[in-house]
Amino acid sequence: MSRRARLVLFGIGATVLATMLGYALHLVPPFGGDWHPYRDSAVAAALSRQAPNVVTSVNFDQRGLDTFAEEAILLASVIGAVTLLRPAADERARRPPGAGHVLQSTRLAGYLLLPVSLLLGADIVVHGHLTPGGGFQGGVVFGTGLHLMYLAGSYPALRRLRPLHWYEYGEAVGMGAVVALGVAGLAAGAGFLANVLPTGQFGQLVSAGTVPLFSIAIGIEVASGVVVLLAGFLEQDLAIATRRGRR
């Protein structure tokens, strides 16, 4: 294809996209107004599912298919990054470095905050349909909280704390659970990822139908993905640092 043909094709696509974007912006309710149809519909749908947290209801119910696609992208991104970060043969032969110089106050803070961070991450995931949070936020808190052990100055202890194959399995389990929820919706004749479970009572932990299960599945996958991804970067950085004699 010639340069001129590519420019013409790009111009046509850009014109169509700009036209559609302009039309969509024209239909957006004016700023400061009291007419917000999407907000009203989203809040009503969340309340009908007994889910006080409307944001979580939107993510794990009303637009569950979009969330499923996002998690598939995250899974593919982690797999791609870890594949590129695979240690070479000479890097695998290196022993992991021991603890460097760490302030005792930093070491103490890391050990004290580690269980707090893990409990906080789990709480954010489990209560995501009731209070601010959900699988995305809680998964990141849990996955990064584990690495307080590294900040406390003990990389070998971090490796013992998070056996990597557990989290590789966790990614598969989390994504598999999301697919299972989608298939359950199809089996019930309501559509992929449809909310087909009893919604329970408003404000109760066991409520909102499939929303908390979806959130927990996403939390498992996000936390596992963060751990696997950070492990790849740490292994590569420390191997290179050791090879260059910086440690």
Side-chain angles (χ1 to χ4, degrees):
M1 183 181 293
S2 66
R3 178 181 177 86
R4 182 175 181 179
R6 290 198 299 269
L7 290 175
V8 171
L9 185 61
F10 170 78
I12 295 173
T15 302
V16 173
L17 180 62
T19 302
M20 295 176 63
L21 180 61
Y23 181 69
L25 292 175
H26 175 71
L27 296 178
V28 171
F31 180 77
D34 58 357
W35 184 65
H36 301 284
Y38 184 78
R39 176 204 63 188
D40 297 338
S41 300
V43 172
L47 295 179
S48 69
R49 301 290 197 275
Q50 311 300 326
N53 187 354
V54 177
V55 176
T56 301
S57 177
V58 170
N59 287 334
F60 302 126
D61 184 6
Q62 301 172 41
R63 57 176 290 272
L65 191 60
D66 294 339
T67 301
F68 171 77
E70 291 170 3
E71 293 315 301
I73 292 172
L74 174 62
L75 178 62
S77 300
V78 172
I79 293 174
V82 172
T83 300
L84 294 174
L85 291 170
R86 286 180 300 178
D90 58 336
E91 295 171 344
R92 291 181 183 277
R94 302 288 180 179
R95 296 181 60 187
H101 176 69
V102 180
L103 295 175
Q104 291 301 317
S105 58
T106 302
R107 190 186 303 275
L108 177 63
Y111 285 122
L112 291 178
L113 291 176
L114 175 62
V116 175
S117 299
L118 299 183
L119 287 174
L120 179 61
D123 180 78
I124 292 174
V125 172
V126 173
H127 293 86
H129 60 298
L130 303 177
T131 57
F136 292 101
Q137 300 89 337
V140 172
V141 172
F142 191 96
T144 55
L146 284 171
H147 291 79
L148 287 170
M149 186 63 69
Y150 176 66
L151 297 180
S154 182
Y155 181 66
L158 171 64
R159 296 186 65 177
R160 292 192 298 270
L161 180 66
R162 52 122 177 93
L164 201 55
H165 61 279
W166 288 9
Y167 297 92
E168 292 171 346
Y169 294 146
E171 277 196 286
V173 168
M175 196 66 196
V178 175
V179 174
L181 287 173
V183 173
L186 290 175
F192 189 74
L193 289 175
N195 196 336
V196 295
L197 294 180
T199 56
Q201 295 184 359
F202 189 86
Q204 296 297 315
L205 180 61
V206 181
S207 61
T210 60
V211 172
L213 298 180
F214 201 167
S215 178
I216 292 172
I218 295 299
I220 293 173
E221 199 217 337
V222 170
S224 301
V226 169
V227 170
V228 172
L229 186 62
L230 290 179
F233 280 109
L234 279 175
E235 290 283 352
Q236 185 63 227
D237 178 69
L238 294 176
I240 293 174
T242 305
R243 186 174 57 190
R244 290 179 178 175
R246 290 193 282 115
R247 293 183 182 270

